[in-house]
């Protein structure tokens, strides 16, 4: 029982990150009908910028508390990620809006490789040790006392970084749903997703709304990148590729184009990975353990595309004229 609860907690932590990144995929697809495969690299940019900012600030004032350093790192990473995503949309995607669907997809792959290369040039190809900002000492949530005599008690715990990931992700997801459903910008985004031409007749600037959508998704991805780097204490120019693919899987699982589907898909995918790697590792004597957890994510993608291509909550995107 204690192992199950611990794996669920680990899965929720992982799924919270996937959900944040998946929201960027699903928002862009909902408004533009485009799969932005360069979105994973925005996660990497957020981690790298935060690494540089935290290192510089800690070098100037080493006495600052860890939570403040992490917050300042996010403050530095978010506008950079938004600027990168705004530039990518304007340069690589906007000229191809009327092109065949394959053209923006190829452009997205090219942007992804370009961002990876630029990051490698700026920060190098070696793994960077992300500054320790929050304590790595686990917080005990539950303690299970073994009924066997002299057997040690087993605990359910998570680290301060993991707790921050879950809480911050929850706040951001609630904030995004409020923005989409209750603000003028959200109404404009929904109108543009419904029909950009008619939305423009209603006084909405589709270009501005699409750019805003890219930037909001980039802000969430930047936060996710900082959290990933803080959780694993490492940053790398290639670190955004795999989380980006998994977040895309989460968006497809929940129903791409549906923000609630992205949240649900991210959390479910994190749980599938954590429970699958934990229990399958035990059943196979460690042969199929955490080193093979990526298998579960892409097995889910294949299964969903085969059985229910529209995802669990369906595709919330109307047909465009």
């Amino acid at each position: 029982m204690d192992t199950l609860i611990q794996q669920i907690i680990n899965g929720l932590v992982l799924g919270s990150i996937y959900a944040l990144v998946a929201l960027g995929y699903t928002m862009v697809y909902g408004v533009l009908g485009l799969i932005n495969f360069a979105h994973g690299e925005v996660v990497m940019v957020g981690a790298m910028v935060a690494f540089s900012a935290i290192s510089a600030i800690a070098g100037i004032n080493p006495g600052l508390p860890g939570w403040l350093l992490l917050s300042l790192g996010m403050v530095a990473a978010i506008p950079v990620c938004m600027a990168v995503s705004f530039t990518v949309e304007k340069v690589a995607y906007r000229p191809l809006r009327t092109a065949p669907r394959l053209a923006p997809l190829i452009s997205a792959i090219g942007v992804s490789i370009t961002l990876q290369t630029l990051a490698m040039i700026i920060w190098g190809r070696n793994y960077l040790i992300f500054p320790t900002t929050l304590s790595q000492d686990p917080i005990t949530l539950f303690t299970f006392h073994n009924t066997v005599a002299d057997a040690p008690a087993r605990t359910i715990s998570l680290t301060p970084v993991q707790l921050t990931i879950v809480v911050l992700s929850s706040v951001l997801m609630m904030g995004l749903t409020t923005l989409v459903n209750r603000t003028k910008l959200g109404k404009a985004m929904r109108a543009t997703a419904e029909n950009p031409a008619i939305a423009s007749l209603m006084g909405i600037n589709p270009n501005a709304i699409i750019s805003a959508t890219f930037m909001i998704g980039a802000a969430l991805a930047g936060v996710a990148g900082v959290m990933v780097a803080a959780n694993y204490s490492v940053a790398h120019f290639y670190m955004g590729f795999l989380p980006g693919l998994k977040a895309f899987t989460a968006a497809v699982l929940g129903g791409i184009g549906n923000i609630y589907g992205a949240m649900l898909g991210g959390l479910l995918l994190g749980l599938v990975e954590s429970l699958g790697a934990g229990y399958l590792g035990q059943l196979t004597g460690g042969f199929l353990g955490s080193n093979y957890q990526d298998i579960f994510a892409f097995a889910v993608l294949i299964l969903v595309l085969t059985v229910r291509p529209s995802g669990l909550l369906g595709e919330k995107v109307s047909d465009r004229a």
Side-chain angles (χ1 to χ4, degrees):
M1 182 65 179
D2 55 330
T3 303
L4 174 63
I5 296 175
Q6 186 67 66
Q7 294 296 345
I8 290 175
I9 292 174
N10 294 340
L12 290 176
V13 172
L14 192 60
S16 297
I17 294 174
Y18 292 157
L20 281 184
V21 184
L23 284 169
Y25 280 104
T26 208
M27 288 170 62
V28 169
Y29 185 84
V31 173
L32 199 56
L34 167 72
I35 303 297
N36 178 19
F37 276 119
H39 192 59
E41 273 51 60
V42 179
V43 176
M44 175 270 297
V45 170
M48 292 300 204
V49 171
F51 165 81
S52 297
I54 292 174
S55 299
I57 295 170
I60 296 172
N61 192 341
L64 290 178
W67 64 267
L68 181 57
L69 287 173
L70 189 64
S71 300
L72 293 174
M74 287 187 187
V75 170
I78 289 173
V80 174
C81 290
M82 294 175 71
V84 168
S85 197
F86 173 82
T87 304
V88 167
E89 187 277 326
K90 190 170 185 179
V91 173
Y93 298 146
R94 188 175 298 183
L96 300 177
R97 283 186 195 166
T98 58
R101 288 292 182 94
L102 189 59
L105 178 62
I106 296 173
S107 180
I109 296 172
V111 170
S112 175
I113 296 172
T114 300
L115 290 176
Q116 288 179 17
T117 304
L118 289 174
M120 183 178 63
I121 293 172
I122 296 171
W123 286 283
R125 63 174 63 246
N126 296 324
Y127 284 86
L128 303 174
I129 305 301
F130 198 82
T132 301
T133 52
L134 299 179
S135 172
Q136 296 297 325
D137 296 331
I139 301 171
T140 300
L141 301 179
F142 307 102
T143 300
F144 290 87
H145 296 282
N146 204 313
T147 56
V148 179
D150 298 328
R154 290 172 294 183
T155 61
I156 304 299
S157 62
L158 77 169
T159 66
V161 174
Q162 292 174 324
L163 179 61
T164 302
I165 289 172
V166 173
V167 173
L168 184 58
S169 298
S170 301
V171 171
L172 290 175
M173 286 188 280
M174 288 188 292
L176 179 65
T177 56
T178 301
L179 183 147
V180 171
N181 294 321
R182 298 183 179 275
T183 67
K184 289 184 178 180
L185 175 59
K187 292 179 181 179
M189 290 169 63
R190 287 183 278 131
T192 303
E194 188 74 23
N195 192 309
I198 294 179
S200 64
L201 295 177
M202 299 295 105
I204 297 172
N205 184 344
N207 287 334
I209 297 303
I210 291 170
S211 294
T213 303
F214 270 83
M215 293 169 71
I216 293 170
L220 298 177
V223 172
V226 178
M227 289 289 95
V228 169
N231 190 34
Y232 296 104
S233 300
V234 69
H236 187 244
F237 76 93
Y238 198 66
M239 65 176 287
F241 178 73
L242 198 55
L245 283 181
K246 290 182 180 180
F248 170 67
T249 302
V252 173
L253 172 62
I256 193 163
N258 188 319
I259 61 172
Y260 299 105
M263 299 175 195
L264 176 63
L267 295 176
L268 287 179
L269 187 63
L271 290 171
V272 167
E273 275 198 28
S274 181
L275 293 172
Y279 282 99
L280 195 58
Q282 292 179 3
L283 293 175
T284 60
F287 178 71
L288 290 177
S290 59
N291 292 332
Y292 294 89
Q293 70 179 25
D294 298 339
I295 293 174
F296 302 104
F298 299 114
V300 167
L301 177 61
I302 294 170
L303 181 64
V304 171
L305 291 176
T306 302
V307 178
R308 188 177 172 84
S310 61
L312 296 177
L313 299 186
E315 184 177 323
K316 199 173 180 181
V317 181
S318 61
D319 292 332
R320 292 177 174 83

